[in-house]
PDB file of all heavy atoms in Angstrom:
ATOM      1  N   LEU Y 304     -24.665  40.815  33.897  1.00 90.00           N
ATOM      2  CA  LEU Y 304     -23.862  40.036  34.835  1.00 90.00           C
ATOM      3  C   LEU Y 304     -23.012  38.961  34.168  1.00 90.00           C
ATOM      4  O   LEU Y 304     -22.303  38.235  34.848  1.00 90.00           O
ATOM      5  CB  LEU Y 304     -24.776  39.378  35.865  1.00 90.00           C
ATOM      6  CG  LEU Y 304     -25.478  40.351  36.805  1.00 90.00           C
ATOM      7  CD1 LEU Y 304     -26.379  39.587  37.753  1.00 90.00           C
ATOM      8  CD2 LEU Y 304     -24.440  41.149  37.595  1.00 90.00           C
ATOM      9  N   MET Y 305     -23.079  38.851  32.851  1.00 92.00           N
ATOM     10  CA  MET Y 305     -22.283  37.806  32.210  1.00 92.00           C
ATOM     11  C   MET Y 305     -20.862  38.306  31.935  1.00 92.00           C
ATOM     12  O   MET Y 305     -20.655  39.462  31.598  1.00 92.00           O
ATOM     13  CB  MET Y 305     -22.955  37.360  30.919  1.00 92.00           C
ATOM     14  CG  MET Y 305     -24.277  36.642  31.186  1.00 92.00           C
ATOM     15  SD  MET Y 305     -24.925  35.801  29.732  1.00 92.00           S
ATOM     16  CE  MET Y 305     -25.384  37.190  28.697  1.00 92.00           C
ATOM     17  N   PHE Y 306     -19.898  37.395  32.090  1.00 93.00           N
ATOM     18  CA  PHE Y 306     -18.525  37.693  31.689  1.00 93.00           C
ATOM     19  C   PHE Y 306     -18.471  37.620  30.165  1.00 93.00           C
ATOM     20  O   PHE Y 306     -18.764  36.577  29.574  1.00 93.00           O
ATOM     21  CB  PHE Y 306     -17.557  36.645  32.245  1.00 93.00           C
ATOM     22  CG  PHE Y 306     -17.217  36.828  33.693  1.00 93.00           C
ATOM     23  CD1 PHE Y 306     -17.900  36.121  34.675  1.00 93.00           C
ATOM     24  CD2 PHE Y 306     -16.201  37.697  34.073  1.00 93.00           C
ATOM     25  CE1 PHE Y 306     -17.573  36.281  36.011  1.00 93.00           C
ATOM     26  CE2 PHE Y 306     -15.866  37.849  35.407  1.00 93.00           C
ATOM     27  CZ  PHE Y 306     -16.558  37.144  36.384  1.00 93.00           C
ATOM     28  N   GLN Y 307     -18.088  38.719  29.531  1.00 92.00           N
ATOM     29  CA  GLN Y 307     -18.065  38.743  28.069  1.00 92.00           C
ATOM     30  C   GLN Y 307     -16.666  38.401  27.563  1.00 92.00           C
ATOM     31  O   GLN Y 307     -15.668  38.713  28.206  1.00 92.00           O
ATOM     32  CB  GLN Y 307     -18.476  40.125  27.572  1.00 92.00           C
ATOM     33  CG  GLN Y 307     -18.700  40.163  26.064  1.00 92.00           C
ATOM     34  CD  GLN Y 307     -19.424  41.408  25.590  1.00 92.00           C
ATOM     35  OE1 GLN Y 307     -19.554  42.358  26.343  1.00 92.00           O
ATOM     36  NE2 GLN Y 307     -19.892  41.390  24.355  1.00 92.00           N
ATOM     37  N   THR Y 308     -16.602  37.766  26.411  1.00 93.00           N
ATOM     38  CA  THR Y 308     -15.317  37.498  25.785  1.00 93.00           C
ATOM     39  C   THR Y 308     -15.506  37.460  24.274  1.00 93.00           C
ATOM     40  O   THR Y 308     -16.588  37.786  23.777  1.00 93.00           O
ATOM     41  CB  THR Y 308     -14.684  36.197  26.333  1.00 93.00           C
ATOM     42  OG1 THR Y 308     -13.328  36.110  25.907  1.00 93.00           O
ATOM     43  CG2 THR Y 308     -15.436  34.954  25.864  1.00 93.00           C
ATOM     44  N   SER Y 309     -14.476  37.088  23.577  1.00 90.00           N
ATOM     45  CA  SER Y 309     -14.506  37.121  22.121  1.00 90.00           C
ATOM     46  C   SER Y 309     -13.984  35.779  21.625  1.00 90.00           C
ATOM     47  O   SER Y 309     -12.970  35.286  22.121  1.00 90.00           O
ATOM     48  CB  SER Y 309     -13.623  38.289  21.694  1.00 90.00           C
ATOM     49  OG  SER Y 309     -13.440  38.283  20.324  1.00 90.00           O
ATOM     50  N   ILE Y 310     -14.694  35.165  20.698  1.00 88.00           N
ATOM     51  CA  ILE Y 310     -14.319  33.826  20.232  1.00 88.00           C
ATOM     52  C   ILE Y 310     -13.580  33.927  18.904  1.00 88.00           C
ATOM     53  O   ILE Y 310     -14.056  34.572  17.979  1.00 88.00           O
ATOM     54  CB  ILE Y 310     -15.566  32.932  20.065  1.00 88.00           C
ATOM     55  CG1 ILE Y 310     -16.358  32.875  21.383  1.00 88.00           C
ATOM     56  CG2 ILE Y 310     -15.172  31.519  19.621  1.00 88.00           C
ATOM     57  CD1 ILE Y 310     -17.696  32.169  21.275  1.00 88.00           C
ATOM     58  N   GLY Y 311     -12.435  33.309  18.830  1.00 82.00           N
ATOM     59  CA  GLY Y 311     -11.670  33.289  17.580  1.00 82.00           C
ATOM     60  C   GLY Y 311     -10.824  34.541  17.434  1.00 82.00           C
ATOM     61  O   GLY Y 311     -10.950  35.493  18.196  1.00 82.00           O
ATOM     62  N   PRO Y 312      -9.956  34.517  16.423  1.00 78.00           N
ATOM     63  CA  PRO Y 312      -8.942  35.560  16.302  1.00 78.00           C
ATOM     64  C   PRO Y 312      -9.455  36.893  15.744  1.00 78.00           C
ATOM     65  O   PRO Y 312      -8.835  37.923  15.944  1.00 78.00           O
ATOM     66  CB  PRO Y 312      -7.923  34.949  15.344  1.00 78.00           C
ATOM     67  CG  PRO Y 312      -8.705  33.981  14.530  1.00 78.00           C
ATOM     68  CD  PRO Y 312      -9.791  33.471  15.399  1.00 78.00           C
ATOM     69  N   SER Y 313     -10.596  36.896  15.076  1.00 73.00           N
ATOM     70  CA  SER Y 313     -10.991  38.126  14.392  1.00 73.00           C
ATOM     71  C   SER Y 313     -11.523  39.183  15.352  1.00 73.00           C
ATOM     72  O   SER Y 313     -11.558  40.362  15.024  1.00 73.00           O
ATOM     73  CB  SER Y 313     -12.066  37.816  13.359  1.00 73.00           C
ATOM     74  OG  SER Y 313     -13.276  37.499  14.016  1.00 73.00           O
ATOM     75  N   GLY Y 314     -11.963  38.747  16.543  1.00 73.00           N
ATOM     76  CA  GLY Y 314     -12.522  39.706  17.490  1.00 73.00           C
ATOM     77  C   GLY Y 314     -13.947  40.106  17.155  1.00 73.00           C
ATOM     78  O   GLY Y 314     -14.544  40.926  17.838  1.00 73.00           O
TER      79      GLY Y 314
END
Side-chain angles (χ1 to χ4, degrees):
Chain Y
L304 293 179
M305 293 192 291
F306 282 96
Q307 190 166 13
T308 192
S309 172
I310 304 172
S313 71

